[in-house]
Amino acid sequence: GPKVLQIPSHQIIDMGQMVTLNCDPVSNHLYFYWYKQILGQQMEFLVNFYNGKVMEKSKLFKDQFSVERPDGSYFTLKIQPTALEDSAVYFCASSFGSNSDYTFGSGTRLLVI
Amino acid sequence: GQQVQQSPASLVLQEGENAELQCNFSSTATQLQWFYQSPGGSLVSLLSNPSGTKHTGRLTSTTVTKERRSSLHISSSQTTDSGTYLCAIGANSGTYQRFGTGTKLQVVP
């Protein structure tokens, strides 16, 4: 079936540096999401994005986080600057409609050192 | 905030046995979805079931909205069913904002 691709699959970065996580959503999907999962813990919602705008965000979506999808290219999550507690697996998902099934990517494993 | 509790936390079955997984949530949910998370970490949507009973293949989900609970029944389990089953809920917006703690299922031959 259609897939969501996340690039890179793994990233190690020095604390304080900027990182951009890339997501290539399913081509006809209109809603995009980022979730964060710390090893062994629950999946946590970060943000959703539709029509070029953030629709909802959680308390975890700190000021250091930003999302965009310029001209229908990758849907990106940027963290600037990174902190140690940002180490986690970040999952991207997309859906056609707001109540449609999600398609998840395989995640980007981010390690901030 | 909303809490989502799943039980059991882990379950070991012999191949062919049935599994019953539970999800309880603390406040009203207009969306509820069951997901499968593979040992490698990727997630797959299994069933969207905010109310009533739904079937797909060997999976049956029953959600009693006013009692804030949902169950996922897996019949005739297979070793490939091994992984973590997550319940996620949302309210009104369509976004799954809360995921449960998961049930880790292991099916042995």
PDB file of all heavy atoms in Angstrom, chain A residues 28-64:
ATOM      1  N   ASN A  28      -1.633  11.771  -1.981  1.00  0.00           N
ATOM      2  CA  ASN A  28      -2.909  12.496  -2.014  1.00  0.00           C
ATOM      3  C   ASN A  28      -3.422  12.848  -0.628  1.00  0.00           C
ATOM      4  O   ASN A  28      -4.575  13.269  -0.482  1.00  0.00           O
ATOM      5  CB  ASN A  28      -3.956  11.681  -2.784  1.00  0.00           C
ATOM      6  CG  ASN A  28      -4.328  10.396  -2.067  1.00  0.00           C
ATOM      7  OD1 ASN A  28      -3.551   9.899  -1.260  1.00  0.00           O
ATOM      8  ND2 ASN A  28      -5.492   9.864  -2.348  1.00  0.00           N
ATOM      9  N   HIS A  29      -2.589  12.668   0.382  1.00  0.00           N
ATOM     10  CA  HIS A  29      -3.013  12.992   1.734  1.00  0.00           C
ATOM     11  C   HIS A  29      -2.878  14.486   2.001  1.00  0.00           C
ATOM     12  O   HIS A  29      -1.993  15.164   1.455  1.00  0.00           O
ATOM     13  CB  HIS A  29      -2.209  12.192   2.755  1.00  0.00           C
ATOM     14  CG  HIS A  29      -2.656  10.766   2.849  1.00  0.00           C
ATOM     15  ND1 HIS A  29      -2.151   9.902   3.798  1.00  0.00           N
ATOM     16  CD2 HIS A  29      -3.559  10.048   2.143  1.00  0.00           C
ATOM     17  CE1 HIS A  29      -2.728   8.717   3.664  1.00  0.00           C
ATOM     18  NE2 HIS A  29      -3.581   8.785   2.648  1.00  0.00           N
ATOM     19  N   LEU A  30      -3.779  14.976   2.854  1.00  0.00           N
ATOM     20  CA  LEU A  30      -3.865  16.410   3.084  1.00  0.00           C
ATOM     21  C   LEU A  30      -3.518  16.812   4.521  1.00  0.00           C
ATOM     22  O   LEU A  30      -3.286  17.989   4.780  1.00  0.00           O
ATOM     23  CB  LEU A  30      -5.288  16.889   2.773  1.00  0.00           C
ATOM     24  CG  LEU A  30      -5.776  16.605   1.346  1.00  0.00           C
ATOM     25  CD1 LEU A  30      -7.243  17.000   1.208  1.00  0.00           C
ATOM     26  CD2 LEU A  30      -4.919  17.339   0.324  1.00  0.00           C
ATOM     27  N   TYR A  31      -3.534  15.837   5.426  1.00  0.00           N
ATOM     28  CA  TYR A  31      -3.292  16.117   6.838  1.00  0.00           C
ATOM     29  C   TYR A  31      -1.996  15.417   7.243  1.00  0.00           C
ATOM     30  O   TYR A  31      -1.759  14.262   6.891  1.00  0.00           O
ATOM     31  CB  TYR A  31      -4.440  15.600   7.707  1.00  0.00           C
ATOM     32  CG  TYR A  31      -5.724  16.360   7.521  1.00  0.00           C
ATOM     33  CD1 TYR A  31      -6.538  16.121   6.417  1.00  0.00           C
ATOM     34  CD2 TYR A  31      -6.124  17.329   8.431  1.00  0.00           C
ATOM     35  CE1 TYR A  31      -7.707  16.826   6.224  1.00  0.00           C
ATOM     36  CE2 TYR A  31      -7.303  18.045   8.256  1.00  0.00           C
ATOM     37  CZ  TYR A  31      -8.086  17.790   7.148  1.00  0.00           C
ATOM     38  OH  TYR A  31      -9.250  18.498   6.963  1.00  0.00           O
ATOM     39  N   PHE A  32      -1.193  16.130   8.002  1.00  0.00           N
ATOM     40  CA  PHE A  32       0.121  15.617   8.363  1.00  0.00           C
ATOM     41  C   PHE A  32       0.333  15.790   9.855  1.00  0.00           C
ATOM     42  O   PHE A  32      -0.138  16.764  10.451  1.00  0.00           O
ATOM     43  CB  PHE A  32       1.216  16.356   7.584  1.00  0.00           C
ATOM     44  CG  PHE A  32       0.902  16.484   6.117  1.00  0.00           C
ATOM     45  CD1 PHE A  32       0.605  17.713   5.565  1.00  0.00           C
ATOM     46  CD2 PHE A  32       0.874  15.363   5.304  1.00  0.00           C
ATOM     47  CE1 PHE A  32       0.283  17.824   4.224  1.00  0.00           C
ATOM     48  CE2 PHE A  32       0.557  15.467   3.958  1.00  0.00           C
ATOM     49  CZ  PHE A  32       0.250  16.703   3.419  1.00  0.00           C
ATOM     50  N   TYR A  33       1.073  14.822  10.438  1.00  0.00           N
ATOM     51  CA  TYR A  33       1.204  14.763  11.891  1.00  0.00           C
ATOM     52  C   TYR A  33       2.635  14.384  12.267  1.00  0.00           C
ATOM     53  O   TYR A  33       3.300  13.635  11.552  1.00  0.00           O
ATOM     54  CB  TYR A  33       0.278  13.691  12.477  1.00  0.00           C
ATOM     55  CG  TYR A  33      -1.136  13.727  11.958  1.00  0.00           C
ATOM     56  CD1 TYR A  33      -1.473  13.080  10.774  1.00  0.00           C
ATOM     57  CD2 TYR A  33      -2.142  14.400  12.654  1.00  0.00           C
ATOM     58  CE1 TYR A  33      -2.764  13.113  10.280  1.00  0.00           C
ATOM     59  CE2 TYR A  33      -3.444  14.431  12.163  1.00  0.00           C
ATOM     60  CZ  TYR A  33      -3.744  13.783  10.981  1.00  0.00           C
ATOM     61  OH  TYR A  33      -5.032  13.822  10.499  1.00  0.00           O
ATOM     62  N   TRP A  34       3.069  14.877  13.425  1.00  0.00           N
ATOM     63  CA  TRP A  34       4.297  14.390  14.055  1.00  0.00           C
ATOM     64  C   TRP A  34       3.960  13.888  15.450  1.00  0.00           C
ATOM     65  O   TRP A  34       3.202  14.542  16.187  1.00  0.00           O
ATOM     66  CB  TRP A  34       5.360  15.486  14.167  1.00  0.00           C
ATOM     67  CG  TRP A  34       6.068  15.779  12.885  1.00  0.00           C
ATOM     68  CD1 TRP A  34       5.889  16.857  12.063  1.00  0.00           C
ATOM     69  CD2 TRP A  34       7.097  14.995  12.262  1.00  0.00           C
ATOM     70  NE1 TRP A  34       6.726  16.791  10.982  1.00  0.00           N
ATOM     71  CE2 TRP A  34       7.486  15.659  11.070  1.00  0.00           C
ATOM     72  CE3 TRP A  34       7.751  13.801  12.594  1.00  0.00           C
ATOM     73  CZ2 TRP A  34       8.474  15.171  10.221  1.00  0.00           C
ATOM     74  CZ3 TRP A  34       8.724  13.315  11.744  1.00  0.00           C
ATOM     75  CH2 TRP A  34       9.088  13.994  10.569  1.00  0.00           C
ATOM     76  N   TYR A  35       4.562  12.729  15.781  1.00  0.00           N
ATOM     77  CA  TYR A  35       4.449  12.135  17.090  1.00  0.00           C
ATOM     78  C   TYR A  35       5.848  11.837  17.600  1.00  0.00           C
ATOM     79  O   TYR A  35       6.776  11.629  16.819  1.00  0.00           O
ATOM     80  CB  TYR A  35       3.661  10.822  17.037  1.00  0.00           C
ATOM     81  CG  TYR A  35       2.176  10.999  16.807  1.00  0.00           C
ATOM     82  CD1 TYR A  35       1.670  11.151  15.523  1.00  0.00           C
ATOM     83  CD2 TYR A  35       1.295  11.036  17.881  1.00  0.00           C
ATOM     84  CE1 TYR A  35       0.308  11.316  15.312  1.00  0.00           C
ATOM     85  CE2 TYR A  35      -0.075  11.204  17.684  1.00  0.00           C
ATOM     86  CZ  TYR A  35      -0.551  11.345  16.394  1.00  0.00           C
ATOM     87  OH  TYR A  35      -1.900  11.520  16.193  1.00  0.00           O
ATOM     88  N   LYS A  36       5.968  11.794  18.926  1.00  0.00           N
ATOM     89  CA  LYS A  36       7.257  11.520  19.565  1.00  0.00           C
ATOM     90  C   LYS A  36       7.096  10.315  20.482  1.00  0.00           C
ATOM     91  O   LYS A  36       6.104  10.226  21.228  1.00  0.00           O
ATOM     92  CB  LYS A  36       7.673  12.746  20.390  1.00  0.00           C
ATOM     93  CG  LYS A  36       8.941  12.572  21.206  1.00  0.00           C
ATOM     94  CD  LYS A  36       9.219  13.833  22.028  1.00  0.00           C
ATOM     95  CE  LYS A  36      10.466  13.684  22.872  1.00  0.00           C
ATOM     96  NZ  LYS A  36      10.718  14.886  23.699  1.00  0.00           N
ATOM     97  N   GLN A  37       8.047   9.399  20.428  1.00  0.00           N
ATOM     98  CA  GLN A  37       8.017   8.247  21.328  1.00  0.00           C
ATOM     99  C   GLN A  37       9.401   8.047  21.930  1.00  0.00           C
ATOM    100  O   GLN A  37      10.342   7.684  21.227  1.00  0.00           O
ATOM    101  CB  GLN A  37       7.564   6.982  20.591  1.00  0.00           C
ATOM    102  CG  GLN A  37       7.339   5.790  21.521  1.00  0.00           C
ATOM    103  CD  GLN A  37       6.774   4.582  20.797  1.00  0.00           C
ATOM    104  OE1 GLN A  37       7.100   4.320  19.642  1.00  0.00           O
ATOM    105  NE2 GLN A  37       5.906   3.820  21.469  1.00  0.00           N
ATOM    106  N   ILE A  38       9.492   8.294  23.224  1.00  0.00           N
ATOM    107  CA  ILE A  38      10.725   7.992  23.949  1.00  0.00           C
ATOM    108  C   ILE A  38      10.746   6.487  24.195  1.00  0.00           C
ATOM    109  O   ILE A  38       9.699   5.875  24.447  1.00  0.00           O
ATOM    110  CB  ILE A  38      10.787   8.778  25.263  1.00  0.00           C
ATOM    111  CG1 ILE A  38      10.898  10.280  24.951  1.00  0.00           C
ATOM    112  CG2 ILE A  38      11.942   8.329  26.138  1.00  0.00           C
ATOM    113  CD1 ILE A  38      10.795  11.181  26.155  1.00  0.00           C
ATOM    114  N   LEU A  39      11.930   5.910  24.125  1.00  0.00           N
ATOM    115  CA  LEU A  39      12.075   4.457  24.237  1.00  0.00           C
ATOM    116  C   LEU A  39      11.331   3.903  25.437  1.00  0.00           C
ATOM    117  O   LEU A  39      11.523   4.368  26.571  1.00  0.00           O
ATOM    118  CB  LEU A  39      13.563   4.100  24.330  1.00  0.00           C
ATOM    119  CG  LEU A  39      13.895   2.613  24.304  1.00  0.00           C
ATOM    120  CD1 LEU A  39      13.488   1.999  22.970  1.00  0.00           C
ATOM    121  CD2 LEU A  39      15.373   2.385  24.586  1.00  0.00           C
ATOM    122  N   GLY A  40      10.428   2.942  25.183  1.00  0.00           N
ATOM    123  CA  GLY A  40       9.710   2.289  26.264  1.00  0.00           C
ATOM    124  C   GLY A  40       8.517   3.069  26.795  1.00  0.00           C
ATOM    125  O   GLY A  40       7.856   2.631  27.732  1.00  0.00           O
ATOM    126  N   GLN A  41       8.248   4.226  26.191  1.00  0.00           N
ATOM    127  CA  GLN A  41       7.146   5.051  26.689  1.00  0.00           C
ATOM    128  C   GLN A  41       6.045   5.192  25.633  1.00  0.00           C
ATOM    129  O   GLN A  41       6.156   4.676  24.525  1.00  0.00           O
ATOM    130  CB  GLN A  41       7.677   6.425  27.105  1.00  0.00           C
ATOM    131  CG  GLN A  41       8.663   6.360  28.251  1.00  0.00           C
ATOM    132  CD  GLN A  41       9.064   7.729  28.745  1.00  0.00           C
ATOM    133  OE1 GLN A  41       8.354   8.720  28.540  1.00  0.00           O
ATOM    134  NE2 GLN A  41      10.200   7.813  29.400  1.00  0.00           N
ATOM    135  N   GLN A  42       4.982   5.889  26.019  1.00  0.00           N
ATOM    136  CA  GLN A  42       3.841   6.053  25.124  1.00  0.00           C
ATOM    137  C   GLN A  42       4.157   6.977  23.957  1.00  0.00           C
ATOM    138  O   GLN A  42       4.987   7.880  24.062  1.00  0.00           O
ATOM    139  CB  GLN A  42       2.666   6.668  25.906  1.00  0.00           C
ATOM    140  CG  GLN A  42       1.969   5.706  26.817  1.00  0.00           C
ATOM    141  CD  GLN A  42       1.120   6.404  27.852  1.00  0.00           C
ATOM    142  OE1 GLN A  42       1.594   6.736  28.925  1.00  0.00           O
ATOM    143  NE2 GLN A  42      -0.138   6.631  27.541  1.00  0.00           N
ATOM    144  N   MET A  43       3.462   6.732  22.882  1.00  0.00           N
ATOM    145  CA  MET A  43       3.479   7.646  21.735  1.00  0.00           C
ATOM    146  C   MET A  43       2.799   8.940  22.174  1.00  0.00           C
ATOM    147  O   MET A  43       1.742   8.912  22.819  1.00  0.00           O
ATOM    148  CB  MET A  43       2.670   7.008  20.603  1.00  0.00           C
ATOM    149  CG  MET A  43       2.702   7.773  19.315  1.00  0.00           C
ATOM    150  SD  MET A  43       4.209   7.436  18.419  1.00  0.00           S
ATOM    151  CE  MET A  43       3.931   5.741  17.987  1.00  0.00           C
ATOM    152  N   GLU A  44       3.397  10.073  21.800  1.00  0.00           N
ATOM    153  CA  GLU A  44       2.826  11.359  22.216  1.00  0.00           C
ATOM    154  C   GLU A  44       2.649  12.274  21.013  1.00  0.00           C
ATOM    155  O   GLU A  44       3.552  12.431  20.193  1.00  0.00           O
ATOM    156  CB  GLU A  44       3.730  12.019  23.254  1.00  0.00           C
ATOM    157  CG  GLU A  44       3.814  11.218  24.554  1.00  0.00           C
ATOM    158  CD  GLU A  44       4.735  11.853  25.558  1.00  0.00           C
ATOM    159  OE1 GLU A  44       5.962  11.814  25.353  1.00  0.00           O
ATOM    160  OE2 GLU A  44       4.234  12.398  26.563  1.00  0.00           O
ATOM    161  N   PHE A  45       1.497  12.891  20.936  1.00  0.00           N
ATOM    162  CA  PHE A  45       1.179  13.797  19.844  1.00  0.00           C
ATOM    163  C   PHE A  45       1.980  15.093  19.975  1.00  0.00           C
ATOM    164  O   PHE A  45       2.101  15.661  21.060  1.00  0.00           O
ATOM    165  CB  PHE A  45      -0.325  14.101  19.878  1.00  0.00           C
ATOM    166  CG  PHE A  45      -0.766  15.238  19.005  1.00  0.00           C
ATOM    167  CD1 PHE A  45      -0.794  15.098  17.627  1.00  0.00           C
ATOM    168  CD2 PHE A  45      -1.165  16.450  19.562  1.00  0.00           C
ATOM    169  CE1 PHE A  45      -1.211  16.140  16.817  1.00  0.00           C
ATOM    170  CE2 PHE A  45      -1.581  17.492  18.766  1.00  0.00           C
ATOM    171  CZ  PHE A  45      -1.602  17.348  17.378  1.00  0.00           C
ATOM    172  N   LEU A  46       2.510  15.540  18.858  1.00  0.00           N
ATOM    173  CA  LEU A  46       3.204  16.829  18.839  1.00  0.00           C
ATOM    174  C   LEU A  46       2.372  17.889  18.124  1.00  0.00           C
ATOM    175  O   LEU A  46       2.063  18.942  18.685  1.00  0.00           O
ATOM    176  CB  LEU A  46       4.552  16.702  18.122  1.00  0.00           C
ATOM    177  CG  LEU A  46       5.660  15.968  18.857  1.00  0.00           C
ATOM    178  CD1 LEU A  46       6.895  15.854  17.957  1.00  0.00           C
ATOM    179  CD2 LEU A  46       6.036  16.691  20.142  1.00  0.00           C
ATOM    180  N   VAL A  47       2.040  17.608  16.842  1.00  0.00           N
ATOM    181  CA  VAL A  47       1.456  18.665  16.028  1.00  0.00           C
ATOM    182  C   VAL A  47       0.718  18.053  14.848  1.00  0.00           C
ATOM    183  O   VAL A  47       1.067  16.963  14.388  1.00  0.00           O
ATOM    184  CB  VAL A  47       2.582  19.614  15.536  1.00  0.00           C
ATOM    185  CG1 VAL A  47       3.531  18.879  14.586  1.00  0.00           C
ATOM    186  CG2 VAL A  47       2.051  20.878  14.896  1.00  0.00           C
ATOM    187  N   ASN A  48      -0.319  18.750  14.370  1.00  0.00           N
ATOM    188  CA  ASN A  48      -0.865  18.403  13.074  1.00  0.00           C
ATOM    189  C   ASN A  48      -0.918  19.636  12.192  1.00  0.00           C
ATOM    190  O   ASN A  48      -0.907  20.775  12.660  1.00  0.00           O
ATOM    191  CB  ASN A  48      -2.195  17.661  13.161  1.00  0.00           C
ATOM    192  CG  ASN A  48      -3.348  18.535  13.599  1.00  0.00           C
ATOM    193  OD1 ASN A  48      -3.190  19.718  13.868  1.00  0.00           O
ATOM    194  ND2 ASN A  48      -4.512  17.941  13.695  1.00  0.00           N
ATOM    195  N   PHE A  49      -0.958  19.379  10.887  1.00  0.00           N
ATOM    196  CA  PHE A  49      -0.694  20.425   9.887  1.00  0.00           C
ATOM    197  C   PHE A  49      -1.611  20.193   8.711  1.00  0.00           C
ATOM    198  O   PHE A  49      -1.736  19.064   8.220  1.00  0.00           O
ATOM    199  CB  PHE A  49       0.778  20.281   9.460  1.00  0.00           C
ATOM    200  CG  PHE A  49       1.328  21.383   8.608  1.00  0.00           C
ATOM    201  CD1 PHE A  49       1.824  22.539   9.186  1.00  0.00           C
ATOM    202  CD2 PHE A  49       1.413  21.239   7.235  1.00  0.00           C
ATOM    203  CE1 PHE A  49       2.389  23.542   8.401  1.00  0.00           C
ATOM    204  CE2 PHE A  49       1.975  22.233   6.440  1.00  0.00           C
ATOM    205  CZ  PHE A  49       2.465  23.390   7.029  1.00  0.00           C
ATOM    206  N   TYR A  50      -2.294  21.243   8.283  1.00  0.00           N
ATOM    207  CA  TYR A  50      -3.215  21.131   7.157  1.00  0.00           C
ATOM    208  C   TYR A  50      -3.245  22.446   6.410  1.00  0.00           C
ATOM    209  O   TYR A  50      -3.263  23.524   7.035  1.00  0.00           O
ATOM    210  CB  TYR A  50      -4.614  20.766   7.675  1.00  0.00           C
ATOM    211  CG  TYR A  50      -5.711  20.889   6.651  1.00  0.00           C
ATOM    212  CD1 TYR A  50      -5.813  19.972   5.617  1.00  0.00           C
ATOM    213  CD2 TYR A  50      -6.629  21.938   6.705  1.00  0.00           C
ATOM    214  CE1 TYR A  50      -6.810  20.081   4.659  1.00  0.00           C
ATOM    215  CE2 TYR A  50      -7.621  22.066   5.749  1.00  0.00           C
ATOM    216  CZ  TYR A  50      -7.712  21.135   4.731  1.00  0.00           C
ATOM    217  OH  TYR A  50      -8.698  21.249   3.774  1.00  0.00           O
ATOM    218  N   ASN A  51      -3.250  22.364   5.131  1.00  0.00           N
ATOM    219  CA  ASN A  51      -3.394  23.545   4.285  1.00  0.00           C
ATOM    220  C   ASN A  51      -2.340  24.609   4.633  1.00  0.00           C
ATOM    221  O   ASN A  51      -2.635  25.802   4.657  1.00  0.00           O
ATOM    222  CB  ASN A  51      -4.811  24.118   4.448  1.00  0.00           C
ATOM    223  CG  ASN A  51      -5.195  25.053   3.321  1.00  0.00           C
ATOM    224  OD1 ASN A  51      -4.676  24.953   2.210  1.00  0.00           O
ATOM    225  ND2 ASN A  51      -6.087  25.984   3.605  1.00  0.00           N
ATOM    226  N   GLY A  52      -1.145  24.135   4.901  1.00  0.00           N
ATOM    227  CA  GLY A  52      -0.047  25.059   5.150  1.00  0.00           C
ATOM    228  C   GLY A  52       0.009  25.641   6.543  1.00  0.00           C
ATOM    229  O   GLY A  52       0.814  26.545   6.805  1.00  0.00           O
ATOM    230  N   LYS A  53      -0.850  25.138   7.440  1.00  0.00           N
ATOM    231  CA  LYS A  53      -0.896  25.730   8.779  1.00  0.00           C
ATOM    232  C   LYS A  53      -0.918  24.669   9.870  1.00  0.00           C
ATOM    233  O   LYS A  53      -1.450  23.574   9.683  1.00  0.00           O
ATOM    234  CB  LYS A  53      -2.164  26.569   8.924  1.00  0.00           C
ATOM    235  CG  LYS A  53      -2.203  27.824   8.087  1.00  0.00           C
ATOM    236  CD  LYS A  53      -3.445  28.630   8.407  1.00  0.00           C
ATOM    237  CE  LYS A  53      -4.667  27.954   7.834  1.00  0.00           C
ATOM    238  NZ  LYS A  53      -5.523  28.906   7.091  1.00  0.00           N
ATOM    239  N   VAL A  54      -0.363  25.037  11.022  1.00  0.00           N
ATOM    240  CA  VAL A  54      -0.498  24.211  12.210  1.00  0.00           C
ATOM    241  C   VAL A  54      -1.937  24.331  12.701  1.00  0.00           C
ATOM    242  O   VAL A  54      -2.452  25.420  12.923  1.00  0.00           O
ATOM    243  CB  VAL A  54       0.475  24.678  13.321  1.00  0.00           C
ATOM    244  CG1 VAL A  54       0.140  23.998  14.639  1.00  0.00           C
ATOM    245  CG2 VAL A  54       1.912  24.405  12.924  1.00  0.00           C
ATOM    246  N   MET A  55      -2.604  23.162  12.831  1.00  0.00           N
ATOM    247  CA  MET A  55      -3.996  23.171  13.283  1.00  0.00           C
ATOM    248  C   MET A  55      -4.081  22.969  14.789  1.00  0.00           C
ATOM    249  O   MET A  55      -4.870  23.603  15.478  1.00  0.00           O
ATOM    250  CB  MET A  55      -4.784  22.071  12.577  1.00  0.00           C
ATOM    251  CG  MET A  55      -4.762  22.189  11.063  1.00  0.00           C
ATOM    252  SD  MET A  55      -5.449  23.734  10.480  1.00  0.00           S
ATOM    253  CE  MET A  55      -7.173  23.484  10.841  1.00  0.00           C
ATOM    254  N   GLU A  56      -3.280  22.040  15.291  1.00  0.00           N
ATOM    255  CA  GLU A  56      -3.240  21.772  16.728  1.00  0.00           C
ATOM    256  C   GLU A  56      -1.813  21.432  17.101  1.00  0.00           C
ATOM    257  O   GLU A  56      -1.076  20.866  16.299  1.00  0.00           O
ATOM    258  CB  GLU A  56      -4.079  20.534  17.085  1.00  0.00           C
ATOM    259  CG  GLU A  56      -5.551  20.633  16.875  1.00  0.00           C
ATOM    260  CD  GLU A  56      -6.179  19.274  17.058  1.00  0.00           C
ATOM    261  OE1 GLU A  56      -6.202  18.485  16.106  1.00  0.00           O
ATOM    262  OE2 GLU A  56      -6.638  19.001  18.183  1.00  0.00           O
ATOM    263  N   LYS A  57      -1.467  21.742  18.340  1.00  0.00           N
ATOM    264  CA  LYS A  57      -0.167  21.317  18.856  1.00  0.00           C
ATOM    265  C   LYS A  57      -0.308  21.010  20.333  1.00  0.00           C
ATOM    266  O   LYS A  57      -1.191  21.554  21.008  1.00  0.00           O
ATOM    267  CB  LYS A  57       0.901  22.369  18.597  1.00  0.00           C
ATOM    268  CG  LYS A  57       0.598  23.722  19.199  1.00  0.00           C
ATOM    269  CD  LYS A  57       1.674  24.731  18.814  1.00  0.00           C
ATOM    270  CE  LYS A  57       1.356  26.094  19.433  1.00  0.00           C
ATOM    271  NZ  LYS A  57       2.385  27.101  19.089  1.00  0.00           N
ATOM    272  N   SER A  58       0.575  20.160  20.823  1.00  0.00           N
ATOM    273  CA  SER A  58       0.539  19.800  22.229  1.00  0.00           C
ATOM    274  C   SER A  58       1.556  20.624  22.998  1.00  0.00           C
ATOM    275  O   SER A  58       2.351  21.384  22.409  1.00  0.00           O
ATOM    276  CB  SER A  58       0.833  18.312  22.400  1.00  0.00           C
ATOM    277  OG  SER A  58       2.219  18.064  22.167  1.00  0.00           O
ATOM    278  N   LYS A  59       1.552  20.426  24.317  1.00  0.00           N
ATOM    279  CA  LYS A  59       2.519  21.133  25.174  1.00  0.00           C
ATOM    280  C   LYS A  59       3.950  20.696  24.870  1.00  0.00           C
ATOM    281  O   LYS A  59       4.906  21.392  25.180  1.00  0.00           O
ATOM    282  CB  LYS A  59       2.186  20.867  26.647  1.00  0.00           C
ATOM    283  CG  LYS A  59       0.942  21.607  27.120  1.00  0.00           C
ATOM    284  CD  LYS A  59       0.699  21.387  28.592  1.00  0.00           C
ATOM    285  CE  LYS A  59       0.082  20.027  28.837  1.00  0.00           C
ATOM    286  NZ  LYS A  59      -0.461  19.868  30.204  1.00  0.00           N
ATOM    287  N   LEU A  60       4.089  19.509  24.270  1.00  0.00           N
ATOM    288  CA  LEU A  60       5.436  19.028  23.933  1.00  0.00           C
ATOM    289  C   LEU A  60       6.032  19.779  22.748  1.00  0.00           C
ATOM    290  O   LEU A  60       7.245  19.723  22.535  1.00  0.00           O
ATOM    291  CB  LEU A  60       5.381  17.538  23.584  1.00  0.00           C
ATOM    292  CG  LEU A  60       5.003  16.571  24.694  1.00  0.00           C
ATOM    293  CD1 LEU A  60       4.997  15.152  24.144  1.00  0.00           C
ATOM    294  CD2 LEU A  60       5.974  16.674  25.860  1.00  0.00           C
ATOM    295  N   PHE A  61       5.181  20.438  21.986  1.00  0.00           N
ATOM    296  CA  PHE A  61       5.647  21.166  20.798  1.00  0.00           C
ATOM    297  C   PHE A  61       6.194  22.505  21.276  1.00  0.00           C
ATOM    298  O   PHE A  61       5.524  23.532  21.273  1.00  0.00           O
ATOM    299  CB  PHE A  61       4.509  21.338  19.802  1.00  0.00           C
ATOM    300  CG  PHE A  61       4.958  21.774  18.434  1.00  0.00           C
ATOM    301  CD1 PHE A  61       5.515  20.858  17.563  1.00  0.00           C
ATOM    302  CD2 PHE A  61       4.808  23.087  18.014  1.00  0.00           C
ATOM    303  CE1 PHE A  61       5.926  21.249  16.285  1.00  0.00           C
ATOM    304  CE2 PHE A  61       5.213  23.492  16.750  1.00  0.00           C
ATOM    305  CZ  PHE A  61       5.771  22.569  15.890  1.00  0.00           C
ATOM    306  N   LYS A  62       7.467  22.462  21.689  1.00  0.00           N
ATOM    307  CA  LYS A  62       8.095  23.634  22.298  1.00  0.00           C
ATOM    308  C   LYS A  62       8.366  24.709  21.247  1.00  0.00           C
ATOM    309  O   LYS A  62       8.292  24.457  20.033  1.00  0.00           O
ATOM    310  CB  LYS A  62       9.410  23.213  22.949  1.00  0.00           C
ATOM    311  CG  LYS A  62       9.288  22.076  23.958  1.00  0.00           C
ATOM    312  CD  LYS A  62      10.635  21.697  24.536  1.00  0.00           C
ATOM    313  CE  LYS A  62      11.563  21.113  23.473  1.00  0.00           C
ATOM    314  NZ  LYS A  62      12.841  20.616  24.053  1.00  0.00           N
ATOM    315  N   ASP A  63       8.735  25.879  21.739  1.00  0.00           N
ATOM    316  CA  ASP A  63       9.057  26.991  20.827  1.00  0.00           C
ATOM    317  C   ASP A  63      10.221  26.650  19.897  1.00  0.00           C
ATOM    318  O   ASP A  63      10.357  27.237  18.822  1.00  0.00           O
ATOM    319  CB  ASP A  63       9.406  28.240  21.639  1.00  0.00           C
ATOM    320  CG  ASP A  63       8.203  28.808  22.356  1.00  0.00           C
ATOM    321  OD1 ASP A  63       7.058  28.435  21.996  1.00  0.00           O
ATOM    322  OD2 ASP A  63       8.384  29.613  23.289  1.00  0.00           O
ATOM    323  N   GLN A  64      11.046  25.701  20.330  1.00  0.00           N
ATOM    324  CA  GLN A  64      12.196  25.323  19.511  1.00  0.00           C
ATOM    325  C   GLN A  64      11.799  24.459  18.312  1.00  0.00           C
ATOM    326  O   GLN A  64      12.613  24.165  17.450  1.00  0.00           O
ATOM    327  CB  GLN A  64      13.227  24.544  20.344  1.00  0.00           C
ATOM    328  CG  GLN A  64      13.833  25.337  21.479  1.00  0.00           C
ATOM    329  CD  GLN A  64      13.047  25.218  22.771  1.00  0.00           C
ATOM    330  OE1 GLN A  64      11.828  25.115  22.763  1.00  0.00           O
ATOM    331  NE2 GLN A  64      13.778  25.225  23.870  1.00  0.00           N
TER     332      GLN A  64
END
